[in-house]
Amino acid sequence: MMRHYVFISLIFLISCGEYLSNWDTKENVDNKIIIECMLTNEYKKQLVKISRTREKPGVPAPVVNEAIVILYENEKAYYFHENEPGLYYSDSLFAGVVGINYFLNINIDNISYSANAEMLPVTEFEPISYSKSVTDDSLYILNGISTTYSNNETSMFEVLLDWSFLPGYDTVNGKAKILYYHIPFIDIPMIFAPAKELIQVPVGTKIIHRKYSINEKHTAFIRSLLMETEWRGGYFDATQGNVLTNFSSGALGYFSASTVLSKELIIMPK
């Protein structure tokens, strides 16, 4: 047991060092296609976002225009059109169906990019709780906002916060969006990830708490994405690598199909 603690201590000492590194930021990063689509069971116009890799950090990603986008649900085809630059919406309203393996095909400059995703059911969940701030009695903090793991299933959670309509907050940015995940395995970078900013909100804040089902391949994508983003900057960073994708022909991004369960609540004084 003592050897275990000594080993951890040594890693802490080694990992805390600072090094000067010169990053080779190429002016051209292959101009790769990035496709983002999360099909849900919500009855709406579904969205596909298409862009290209940006040449420099901090600049908007170039959008892709005039793509041909078709989503297949067994024998049925849904066509998408570019309503806004780089944003392709389905021509009709529809909801994804649990158990169906969807196929997305996109043609850009005579190159076909495709991916498939099966929609899984989502299970019930308890809406997020909150407690009074220790630094300000008029504010509340949300409990359980973190990247954590579960023994049961992988899920994505979205928390939408809105206090912009409250007196005294109409002139500030009174909205926030938080994403976090339940992942059924433990990663060292996840445990020792850097701390996140604490969000404090006033009484009366409206909360929409949503849970998304995630299949096994989507879990692998999220894990690789977190390894390169949220879990970086801790003591046990993994070796950098490419984020996984399920698209063919070298495209980046991910096509997923998720069932969504949504709950609403309002922060009340305690």
Side-chain angles (χ1 to χ4, degrees):
M1 184 64 69
M2 180 60 69
R3 291 181 180 178
H4 174 76
Y5 287 119
V6 170
F7 174 69
I8 294 296
S9 298
L10 287 175
I11 291 180
F12 275 11
L13 291 172
I14 294 171
S15 299
C16 287
E18 295 184 3
Y19 303 92
L20 178 64
S21 177
N22 295 319
W23 290 86
D24 181 18
T25 55
K26 298 180 180 179
E27 291 295 320
N28 190 324
V29 286
D30 298 330
N31 207 24
K32 287 183 176 293
I33 297 292
I34 303 174
I35 305 171
E36 303 168 69
C37 178
M38 175 177 276
L39 175 69
T40 73
N41 65 323
E42 300 164 292
Y43 187 73
K44 64 179 183 179
K45 286 193 172 185
Q46 306 291 335
L47 171 65
V48 176
K49 180 180 179 181
I50 310 176
S51 59
R52 293 184 183 272
T53 49
R54 64 191 76 184
E55 295 181 351
K56 295 180 180 179
V59 299
V63 301
V64 173
N65 306 116
E66 300 180 357
I68 301 173
V69 181
I70 307 175
L71 176 71
Y72 294 94
E73 181 186 274
N74 294 332
E75 302 300 322
K76 187 172 185 178
Y78 294 97
Y79 293 85
F80 289 64
H81 286 93
E82 190 177 13
N83 295 1
E84 302 174 50
L87 302 180
Y88 295 77
Y89 289 88
S90 58
D91 288 344
S92 59
L93 303 171
F94 73 97
V97 179
V98 171
I100 290 183
N101 193 2
Y102 289 88
F103 181 79
L104 178 63
N105 187 75
I106 298 173
N107 189 286
I108 303 171
D109 297 330
N110 294 320
I111 299 177
S112 178
Y113 304 91
S114 60
N116 66 286
E118 180 184 0
M119 181 171 287
L120 300 180
V122 67
T123 59
E124 272 287 344
F125 72 103
E126 289 294 326
I128 200 161
S129 62
Y130 54 91
S131 56
K132 187 172 291 187
S133 169
V134 296
T135 59
D136 190 331
D137 287 343
S138 66
L139 299 177
Y140 286 79
I141 60 173
L142 303 180
N143 301 322
I145 296 295
S146 63
T147 301
T148 184
Y149 63 93
S150 167
N151 292 327
N152 300 320
E153 59 182 341
T154 302
S155 305
M156 183 179 81
F157 290 85
E158 179 183 57
V159 181
L160 303 176
L161 304 166
D162 184 4
W163 64 96
S164 60
F165 57 92
L166 297 175
Y169 293 95
D170 53 346
T171 59
V172 298
N173 182 18
K175 294 185 178 181
K177 176 181 177 180
I178 304 169
L179 292 177
Y180 67 104
Y181 305 89
H182 282 179
I183 300 177
F185 48 78
I186 301 176
D187 276 298
I188 294 298
M190 173 179 66
I191 299 172
F192 293 98
K196 301 297 184 294
E197 179 183 359
L198 183 66
I199 296 179
Q200 302 186 91
V201 294
V203 170
T205 297
K206 293 181 179 179
I207 302 176
I208 300 177
H209 195 185
R210 314 175 82 199
K211 180 182 179 182
Y212 295 77
S213 65
I214 293 177
N215 61 36
E216 184 177 350
K217 292 182 178 179
H218 193 185
T219 300
F221 163 76
I222 289 173
R223 178 177 177 273
S224 70
L225 178 64
L226 292 174
M227 286 285 193
E228 299 300 320
T229 55
E230 295 294 314
W231 294 349
R232 299 210 68 80
Y235 291 110
F236 293 94
D237 283 357
T239 303
Q240 287 186 306
N242 293 329
V243 175
L244 299 177
T245 178
N246 60 346
F247 278 101
S248 65
S249 304
L252 304 177
Y254 204 85
F255 168 49
S256 63
S258 298
T259 308
V260 185
L261 187 59
S262 181
K263 299 187 178 184
E264 298 184 15
L265 63 150
I266 297 176
I267 291 187
M268 303 299 290
K270 290 186 177 181

